[in-house]
């Protein structure tokens, strides 16, 4: 599936998976995602592959004004992966439009004016998928399309699927279905309604909902407080006129990242992308949007929020701001710290809070390096708030006091390194890492970052832990029963 | 000795064979990859609740297979295999489904050390009553957590509409009550019955040495071939649902539904693959994104991008389903059945069907890049008696008439049931 996290909603459940009861630490494997450790790497002196292994050829070039192509050539893959991403500020004014636009564009083009004819063209390209995507990276919205498709080598007549996909993606972006010079009103209205439905459905997944509510309260007044999809009220204001105006502004001004990974020659990909985007009016400044770090009110104590709902299990989320000093330790240190604290099955939170004390079904930490924030999320009993909250605070204090054991540090380093190196064999994982790298303007490539993780010290980990300040706690619990 | 086989059509080289104790070993060569995956599967899942162990009849509570999976990571002496694998940088996990339990890891370093550990901990049970009590609390929380999930609710709602057999109606993890009956002895019985080499398969994907993998499996999972465990199934399921509809209000943003029907359940080997491919092609022709019906419902605002279909084939049961979020579940269900009747009577346009097959071919090729998909399917193929790497060949044989006949037989009103999760109030 193209960039799972890029989908506005979770993609349809993979076959054979719906009835699988996945072992709970599955969630930890996701939390240790290399994407979490890639950001803010300022080091450009690392070079070459790990232990002398050959690296894939990586081609990086600005192929048009404000359009950058990263192409990773790897002939071990039978699948090509292509993404086209526009970077825009994630603000109250733009968030809902950012989320709606890729979906409106995906409804039809001048040549394939409806979903049925588009789907027919994708069938002809051997079931290539081009999916709309919206991702929130700090206070930057990354919107566009992600595609994956089979490589021609194993298809009848060695069909050239790549050219077809690149050109169709170009059409989706630059030649949408229009009426009277505007994006089609019926498509805009229909996707506006779908977006509002999606925003209303955020309540369905209680764990994710709890995190959204925490972020909303914790970053009030900052753009980061806004959910990826914006608010239902702002979505309701979208019209064909406003969205068309915004669309024109974006294709003229937004920086564009194109990523390809697969067996094709990068030069061929570059040619195809240049052709597909030839009509793009690159007249704007292409200023890269940035995230304001911010420290919130440093004197305020911890704020506790509580909400009741008809649930069978409590959901606790704790939010921490990371100090400039903590962030200054760099992405490798931050990634290793997170793996050690709550981002892996060898972490303090997993081993002590879940396994040893059996206080919760899941507990994990996630670190957002774009914003400089740390989140702990746990599924707990309704009466377990104080015990879990207390234990999480104690574990963090213990790490800040330098009580990290050598085996813990080694395990965390190996975990992060292993995840990054494994992602090099996964085009979708690579896409995510390179997008983060591009948004933050970093020099080091993923394999170089893996090498940096091995240099992280116990002192780095203690410094990151010491720089984490708990500002907000959110608890979703059951309604009180009447006596 | 493993047998080497080249699948030119899909560009894969696969080594297959068995240890002297009967453990199936498959190594999928993936040259150029740094990562490798090892996947140790047991032909045992949540639906295998009754079995014979040395002539004794064992009836186990719902959730036993999943409970075994949770406890097996614990190694004698207080260590935990998951922790050890993670410390070495591997990404390890396990799952239980109605007909399979599997333990797997993916890593770039320490592959053979990790493989040794995997073979060891899965074949060496260590269940104490004290640990069982502790795990019970964790699993109970897992069950409760899933109860808040509307997609789980709508899915199990449909299963309970369709199936009579308790083992097919229940949650893989069991219920808080059923797991209360599980003891260390229950887990031991299940392990002794099913975790025997002849009932298991090891699949490795990566750039690794097949001979060395076979040697390790030979050494670490010894024993003599034993007869396959006897799983006792209930009476075969009839074609009709037990009840036609179920509704449940929940805290959700929009109503969602899942409708479906039982399909053939007595197929094994290549026939079961063919049937599954036929089902998927039939359903995608009927209501996939390229179908006129999808366009009608999506353009009309009746469904959104969550609308889709699925087909599942597991031990003793197969089921087709379709659904998503909508304000009008019954209407969508009726439109799907009407359209199915139309295609069943008039047939599926051959050009359209050919395009669906083309897309299915592309999708089968793409799947080969996912180690987890490859390992899962290779293991499932071994247990069900088919060769996963021949899927593309089987796909070529499926005709539009097969798909039409599928719709005619299974997408009939009287066979269908619908499960709905409503908004509150």
């Amino acid at each position: 599936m193209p960039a799972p996290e890029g989908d506005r909603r979770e993609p349809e459940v993979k076959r054979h998976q719906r009835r699988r009861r996945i072992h709970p630490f599955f969630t930890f494997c996701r939390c240790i995602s290399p994407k979490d450790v890639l950001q803010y790497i300022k080091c450009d002196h690392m070079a070459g592959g790990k232990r002398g292994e050959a690296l894939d050829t990586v081609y990086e070039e600005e192929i048009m004004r404000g359009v950058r192509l990263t192409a990773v050539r790897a002939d071990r893959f039978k699948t090509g992966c292509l993404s086209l991403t526009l970077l825009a500020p994630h603000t109250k004014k733009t968030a809902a439009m950012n989320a709606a636009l890729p979906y409106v564009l995906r409804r039809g083009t001048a040549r394939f004016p409806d979903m049925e004819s588009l789907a027919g063209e994708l069938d002809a390209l051997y079931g290539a998928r081009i999916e709309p995507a919206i991702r929130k990276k700090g206070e930057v919205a990354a919107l566009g399309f992600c595609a994956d498709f089979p490589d021609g080598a194993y298809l009848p007549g060695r069909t050239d699927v790549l050219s077809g996909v690149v050109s169709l993606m170009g059409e989706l972006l630059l030649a949408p279905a229009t009426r009277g010079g505007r994006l089609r009103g019926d498509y805009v209205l229909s996707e506006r309604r779908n977006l509002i439905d999606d925003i209303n459905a955020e309540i369905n997944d209680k764990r994710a909902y709890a995190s959204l509510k925490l972020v909303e309260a914790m970053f009030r007044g900052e753009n980061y407080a806004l959910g990826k999809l914006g608010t239902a009220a702002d979505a309701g204001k979208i019209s064909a006129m406003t969205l068309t105006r915004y669309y024109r502004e974006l294709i003229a001004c937004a920086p564009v990242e194109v990523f390809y990974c697969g067996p094709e020659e990068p030069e061929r990909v570059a040619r195809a992308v240049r052709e597909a985007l030839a009509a793009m009016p690159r007249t704007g400044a292409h200023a890269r949007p940035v995230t304001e770090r911010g420290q919130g009110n440093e004197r305020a104590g911890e704020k506790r929020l509580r909400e009741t709902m008809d649930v069978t299990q409590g959901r606790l989320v704790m939010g921490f701001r990371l100090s400039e000093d903590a962030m200054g330790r760099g992405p490798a240190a931050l990634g290793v710290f997170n793996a050690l604290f709550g981002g892996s099955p060898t972490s303090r939170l997993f081993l002590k809070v879940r396994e040893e004390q059996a206080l919760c079904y899941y507990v994990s930490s996630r670190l957002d390096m774009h914003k400089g924030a740390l989140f702990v999320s746990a599924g707990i009993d309704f009466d377990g708030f104080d015990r879990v909250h207390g234990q999480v605070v104690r574990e963090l204090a213990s790490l800040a006091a330098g009580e990290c054991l050598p085996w813990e540090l080694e395990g965390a380093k190996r975990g992060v390194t292993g995840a990054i190196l494994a992602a090099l064999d996964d085009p979708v994982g690579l896409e995510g890492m390179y997008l983060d790298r591009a948004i933050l303007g970093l020099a080091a490539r993923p394999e170089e970052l893996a090498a940096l993780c091995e240099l992280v010290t116990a002192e780095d980990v203690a410094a990151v832990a010491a720089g984490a300040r708990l500002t907000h706690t959110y608890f979703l619990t059951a309604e009180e029963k009447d006596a | 000795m493993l047998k080497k086989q080249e699948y030119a059509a899909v560009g894969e080289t696969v080594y297959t064979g068995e240890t002297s104790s009967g453990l199936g070993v498959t190594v999928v060569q993936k040259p150029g990859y740094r990562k490798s995956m090892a996947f140790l599967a047991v032909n045992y899942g949540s639906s295998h609740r009754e079995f014979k162990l040395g002539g004794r009849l064992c009836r186990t509570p719902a959730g036993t297979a999943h409970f075994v999976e949770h406890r097996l990571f614990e190694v004698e002496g207080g260590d935990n295999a998951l922790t050890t694998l993670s410390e070495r940088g591997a990404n390890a996990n396990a799952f239980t489904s109605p007909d399979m339990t599997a333990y797997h890891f993916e890593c770039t370093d320490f592959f053979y050390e990790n493989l040794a550990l995997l073979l060891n901990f899965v074949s060496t049970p260590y269940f104490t009553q004290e640990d069982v009590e502790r795990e019970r609390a964790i699993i109970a929380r897992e069950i409760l957590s899933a109860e808040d999930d509307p997609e789980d609710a709508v899915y199990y709602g449909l299963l309970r509409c369709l199936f009579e057999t308790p083992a097919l109606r229940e949650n893989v993890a069991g219920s808080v009550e059923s797991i209360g009956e599980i003891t260390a002895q229950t887990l031991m019985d299940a392990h002794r019955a099913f975790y025997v080499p002849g009932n298991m398969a090891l699949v490795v994907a990566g750039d690794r040495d097949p001979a060395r993998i076979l040697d390790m499996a030979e050494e670490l999972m010894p024993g003599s071939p034993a007869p396959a465990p006897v799983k006792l199934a209930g009476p075969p399921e009839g074609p009709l649902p037990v009840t036609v509809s179920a509704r449940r209000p929940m805290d959700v943003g929009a109503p969602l539904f899942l409708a479906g029907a039982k399909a053939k359940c007595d197929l094994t080997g290549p026939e079961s693959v063919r049937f599954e491919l036929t089902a998927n092609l039939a359903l995608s022709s009927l209501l996939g994104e390229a179908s006129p019906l999808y366009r009608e419902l999506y353009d009309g605002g009746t469904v959104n991008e969550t609308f889709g279909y699925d087909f599942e084939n597991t031990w003793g049961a197969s089921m087709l389903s379709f659904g998503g979020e909508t304000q009008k579940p019954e209407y969508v269900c009726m439109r799907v059945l009407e359209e199915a009747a139309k295609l069943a009577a008039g047939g599926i346009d051959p050009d359209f069907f050919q395009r669906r097959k083309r897309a299915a071919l592309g999708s089968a090729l793409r799947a080969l890049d996912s180690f987890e998909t490859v390992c899962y399917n290779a293991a499932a193929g071994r247990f069900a008696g088919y060769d996963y790497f021949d899927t593309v060949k089987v796909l070529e044989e499926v005709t539009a008439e097969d798909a039409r006949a599928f719709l005619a037989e299974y997408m009939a009103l009287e066979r269908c049931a619908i499960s709905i999760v409503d908004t509150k109030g």
Side-chain angles (χ1 to χ4, degrees):
Chain A
M1 190 68 209
E5 63 141 8
D7 289 327
R8 196 160 74 187
R9 294 278 297 280
E10 286 298 312
E12 66 183 274
V13 181
K14 267 202 265 174
R15 274 172 58 201
H16 301 299
Q17 286 221 334
R18 182 141 56 188
R19 290 185 78 184
R20 285 198 213 171
R21 184 54 64 195
I22 301 203
H23 206 275
F25 35 77
F26 171 68
T27 50
F28 293 87
C29 309
R30 280 205 303 221
C31 291
I32 199 172
S33 154
K35 288 190 284 297
D36 287 349
V37 295
L38 188 70
Q39 294 94 16
Y40 288 100
I41 185 154
K42 296 267 166 28
C43 172
D44 55 5
H45 61 270
M46 302 295 301
K50 189 174 149 60
R51 287 176 221 93
E53 287 174 64
L55 294 175
D56 298 321
T57 315
V58 183
Y59 167 105
E60 292 174 280
E61 200 188 315
E62 178 160 2
I63 52 169
M64 293 168 59
R65 275 193 64 195
V67 180
R68 197 156 65 176
L69 170 69
T70 304
V72 180
R73 183 174 185 213
D75 50 17
R76 59 189 175 281
F77 298 127
K78 295 186 167 70
T79 306
C81 167
L82 180 80
S83 73
L84 188 153
T85 308
L86 282 69
L87 304 180
H90 175 71
T91 66
K92 178 154 171 53
K93 207 177 124 218
T94 59
M97 288 198 287
N98 288 332
L101 186 59
Y103 284 78
V104 171
L105 297 177
R106 178 62 177 72
R107 288 297 292 272
T109 69
R111 197 155 61 105
F112 305 104
D114 54 60
M115 289 179 93
E116 195 181 336
S117 57
L118 261 178
E121 175 67 5
L122 289 168
D123 277 357
L125 293 167
Y126 288 88
R129 292 183 292 194
I130 305 184
E131 299 295 333
I134 172 73
R135 287 175 267 194
K136 175 183 164 188
K137 301 285 181 187
E139 293 169 352
V140 177
L143 63 144
F145 303 100
C146 293
D148 68 349
F149 45 91
D151 178 49
Y154 298 98
L155 296 174
R158 301 180 68 86
T159 314
D160 176 14
V161 180
L162 173 77
S163 300
V165 169
V166 175
S167 120
L168 185 56
M169 209 184 253
E171 278 181 66
L172 285 167
L173 183 70
L174 300 173
T178 53
R179 269 189 198 150
R182 284 183 193 156
L183 295 169
R184 271 179 62 162
D186 53 344
Y187 288 172
V188 173
L189 284 184
S190 144
E191 292 307 329
R192 180 177 88 180
R193 192 177 46 230
N194 287 340
L195 175 59
I196 294 172
D197 285 349
D198 282 356
I199 294 169
N200 291 335
E202 284 172 344
I203 196 174
N204 293 9
D205 178 346
K206 303 295 181 279
R207 180 177 179 172
Y209 174 78
S211 291
L212 276 172
K213 298 298 276 187
L214 174 96
V215 166
E216 194 183 298
M218 180 170 167
F219 299 94
R220 182 151 294 141
E222 298 172 60
N223 287 327
Y224 192 72
L226 277 167
K228 179 172 73 171
L229 309 182
T231 65
D234 291 329
K237 291 181 203 146
I238 294 174
S239 69
M241 194 173 80
T242 56
L243 196 64
T244 304
R245 194 183 303 142
Y246 185 60
Y247 158 73
R248 293 217 176 102
E249 188 188 313
L250 277 185
I251 59 168
C253 303
V256 179
E257 290 292 333
V258 182
F259 176 86
Y260 169 80
C261 175
E264 296 283 353
E265 294 283 351
E267 288 76 13
R268 243 200 88 207
V269 180
R271 256 198 321 276
V273 174
R274 262 192 221 104
E275 260 171 50
L277 300 184
M280 197 166 184
R282 299 268 75 196
T283 50
H286 314 120
R288 301 185 83 82
V290 290
T291 298
E292 295 289 336
R293 275 289 176 66
Q295 279 302 321
N297 181 354
E298 291 183 60
R299 279 181 308 237
E302 175 196 343
K303 250 199 191 127
R304 294 188 177 181
L305 302 111
R306 186 170 177 279
E307 189 177 351
T308 58
M309 211 180 267
D310 180 13
V311 289
T312 50
Q313 189 187 50
R315 267 68 166 190
L316 168 67
V317 191
M318 298 165 73
F320 304 79
R321 295 258 191 181
L322 292 173
S323 68
E324 283 306 316
D325 182 46
M327 295 305 289
R329 295 282 163 161
L334 291 164
V336 171
F337 158 79
N338 186 49
L340 208 160
F341 176 51
S344 77
T346 57
S347 69
R348 285 287 179 94
L349 297 186
F350 187 80
L351 291 180
K352 293 253 163 114
V353 185
R354 182 185 180 274
E355 293 287 279
E356 218 174 279
Q357 307 190 18
L359 291 178
C360 29
Y361 160 52
Y362 68 83
V363 58
S364 66
S365 66
R366 180 173 69 83
L367 205 153
D368 185 333
M369 287 187 216
H370 292 266
K371 186 65 183 171
L374 173 72
F375 304 99
V376 170
S377 167
I380 65 175
D381 294 338
F382 298 127
D383 60 1
F385 180 95
D386 290 330
R387 282 195 304 275
V388 176
H389 182 280
Q391 195 59 39
V392 170
V393 169
R394 275 193 292 282
E395 292 305 332
L396 188 64
S398 153
L399 291 182
E403 294 167 7
C404 128
L405 302 169
W407 73 264
E408 291 181 303
L409 182 62
E410 276 316 301
K413 283 185 190 179
R414 288 210 189 103
V416 178
T417 311
I420 295 174
L421 295 178
L424 297 178
D425 281 338
D426 168 19
V428 173
L430 261 188
E431 193 268 348
M433 292 200 287
Y434 273 99
L435 181 65
D436 279 329
R437 177 170 172 265
I439 290 176
L440 292 150
L442 311 174
R445 291 191 182 146
E447 54 272 34
E448 295 162 350
L449 183 65
L452 278 176
C453 288
E454 294 179 4
L455 307 177
V456 173
T457 64
E459 196 265 327
D460 287 328
V461 170
V464 176
R469 180 169 56 88
L470 178 62
T471 71
H472 285 73
T473 303
Y474 170 90
F475 187 38
L476 178 65
T477 183
E479 285 144 17
E480 308 275 342
K481 293 271 184 299
D482 293 334
Chain B
M1 239 335 240
L2 296 175
K3 191 176 110 214
K4 178 179 177 181
Q5 196 162 347
E6 310 264 5
Y7 298 84
V10 291
E12 295 290 339
T13 305
V14 182
Y15 294 79
T16 47
E18 261 179 29
T19 63
S20 48
S21 60
L23 173 72
V25 178
T26 303
V27 180
V28 186
Q29 279 285 294
K30 291 283 189 183
Y33 277 85
R34 298 171 215 227
K35 72 170 181 189
S36 307
M37 175 175 261
F39 188 96
L40 185 54
V42 191
N43 192 354
Y44 169 51
S46 61
S47 51
H48 306 135
R49 299 224 345 241
E50 295 189 8
F51 51 90
K52 279 192 172 158
L53 181 61
R56 177 162 62 97
L57 174 69
C58 293
R59 287 202 173 91
T60 57
T64 301
H66 177 250
F67 210 123
V68 173
E69 176 230 298
H70 262 239
R71 283 318 302 163
L72 214 45
F73 281 95
E74 216 64 37
V75 183
E76 196 167 356
D79 280 349
N80 182 294
L82 172 73
T83 312
T84 311
L85 288 166
S86 305
E87 273 169 33
R88 292 181 189 154
N91 181 352
N93 213 331
F95 68 81
T96 306
S97 76
D99 60 358
M100 188 194 282
T101 311
Y103 305 80
H104 53 90
F105 68 82
E106 187 177 275
C107 67
T108 51
D109 288 318
F110 306 108
F111 173 77
Y112 294 105
E113 290 89 335
N114 292 338
L115 179 61
L117 178 58
L118 177 74
L119 292 166
N120 251 320
F121 86 80
V122 175
S123 56
T124 320
Y126 176 68
F127 306 126
T128 67
Q129 194 54 37
E130 191 193 342
D131 290 339
V132 168
E133 294 306 332
R134 216 172 49 85
E135 198 70 39
R136 204 191 311 280
I138 290 180
I139 296 177
R141 284 199 188 91
E142 178 179 353
I143 292 168
L144 291 177
S145 174
E147 273 179 19
D148 290 339
D149 179 353
E151 287 188 14
D152 257 27
V154 80
Y155 178 74
Y156 283 106
L158 179 63
L159 290 186
R160 285 190 290 269
C161 283
L162 290 178
F163 294 104
E164 280 173 70
T165 316
L168 297 173
R169 293 161 60 89
E170 283 149 358
N171 192 311
V172 169
S175 65
V176 174
E177 293 74 37
S178 76
I179 62 165
E181 298 163 25
I182 293 173
T183 64
Q185 189 59 47
T186 321
L187 303 184
M188 207 54 187
D189 286 346
H191 193 278
R192 277 179 54 206
F194 294 108
Y195 284 65
V196 291
N199 194 47
M200 297 168 71
L202 170 68
V203 186
V204 170
D207 199 352
R208 302 290 170 182
D209 176 10
R212 185 165 171 193
I213 291 164
L214 179 67
D215 285 350
M216 286 177 65
E218 206 50 91
E219 186 194 333
L220 296 167
M221 290 194 90
S224 46
V230 182
K231 302 167 182 166
L232 304 173
E237 290 275 336
L240 302 181
V242 180
T243 45
V244 292
S245 70
R247 260 177 199 281
R248 186 179 152 189
M250 286 180 87
D251 272 321
V252 290
L256 60 154
F257 84 101
L258 194 67
K262 288 185 272 195
K264 223 183 279 198
C265 60
D266 53 352
L267 294 175
T268 53
E271 275 309 301
S272 71
V273 183
R274 193 188 152 101
F275 187 63
E276 193 165 333
L277 290 168
T278 304
N280 277 296
L281 283 166
L283 291 166
S284 85
S285 302
L286 170 66
L287 49 81
E289 242 186 75
S291 68
L293 179 65
Y294 186 94
R295 183 183 165 195
E296 172 199 313
L297 295 171
Y298 193 102
D299 280 1
T302 317
V303 301
N304 59 22
E305 80 275 8
T306 60
F307 186 58
Y309 62 88
D310 198 10
F311 180 79
E312 279 185 80
N313 200 358
T314 68
W315 184 69
S318 75
M319 174 179 93
L320 66 89
S321 61
F322 55 92
E325 284 172 11
T326 174
Q327 297 292 338
K328 301 188 218 168
E330 288 93 350
Y331 169 77
V332 174
C333 186
M334 285 316 295
R335 277 299 295 127
V336 169
L337 292 176
E338 277 167 22
E339 196 66 18
K342 210 171 98 189
L343 290 180
I348 301 170
D349 177 70
D351 287 345
F352 176 69
F353 190 74
Q354 212 43 46
R355 288 202 300 274
R356 302 307 311 142
K357 273 178 76 169
R358 202 182 236 233
L361 168 64
S363 159
L365 281 173
R366 279 199 315 253
L368 293 166
D369 276 351
S370 158
F371 284 16
E372 201 185 338
T373 305
V374 166
C375 290
Y376 173 87
N377 284 302
R382 168 158 176 104
F383 294 154
Y386 64 83
D387 184 347
Y388 164 62
F389 298 95
D390 275 338
T391 308
V392 166
K393 247 192 259 168
V394 182
L395 178 66
E396 277 166 23
E397 296 161 8
V398 180
T399 65
E401 171 51 25
D402 295 336
R404 188 208 61 78
F406 178 90
L407 294 178
E409 183 165 4
Y410 300 110
M411 291 293 280
L413 177 64
E414 68 276 10
R415 295 187 75 119
C416 274
I418 183 168
S419 160
I420 299 170
V421 165
D422 268 323
T423 48
K424 281 193 161 172

